[in-house]
Structure formats: structure tokens, C-alpha cells
Amino acid sequence: MNAVAPIVSTIWRLDVAVGQRVEVGQQLALLESMKMEIPVSAPVAGVVADLPAAIGQIVQEGDPVAVISPA
């Protein structure tokens, strides 16, 4: 299950690491767009399998920010 960018933005901060267990609603990353901070939360509980976007990278709407393997 992917946690995705809701709008075109820049990865400002990653709050989890690959292999980390997360709960539904836990903040995974913080994005920035036009000086607004946009949190990205876990859609399911599980383990972070991948963080395809790096800090400072621009992501498009719908791009995966984190990939979570459901537990």
C-alpha cells in the first residue's frame, strides 16, 4: 500500500525508516508546497518497505512517498 503525495510538493522531512513498523495514521513524511507543510500519514498498519522519494526531491500528485507492507 502506498502513501502518496496529495499535491506537487517537495519532500521536506522523512519521519520513518525502511523496516520500521507503523500504525494507521502515523506521520511518515512532511512535504512542503508554497510554504505550506503537508503531512503524509500511513494508510495502513505495517512495515515500511521502501521510501522511493528522497529529502529535497520534488514529487508529483499521486507519487509514492512511502510503500507499506501490511502487517
Side-chain angles (χ1 to χ4, degrees), residues 9-42:
S9 51
T10 302
I11 303 291
W12 191 258
R13 185 177 76 212
L14 294 171
D15 297 324
V16 294
V18 172
Q20 183 175 336
R21 178 168 284 291
V22 295
E23 299 299 324
V24 174
Q26 180 176 339
Q27 185 169 309
L28 305 173
L30 190 63
L31 310 181
E32 186 273 332
S33 181
M34 298 183 297
K35 299 189 181 187
M36 294 186 327
E37 294 182 347
I38 305 152
V40 176
S41 301

Side-chain angles (χ1 to χ4, degrees), residues 1 8-11 18 20 25-26 29 34 39-40 42 44 48 50-51 55-56 63-64 66 69-70:
M1 174 72 61
V8 176
S9 51
T10 302
I11 303 291
V18 172
Q20 183 175 336
Q26 180 176 339
M34 298 183 297
V40 176
V44 296
V48 178
D50 190 21
L51 295 168
I55 294 172
D63 282 354
S69 296

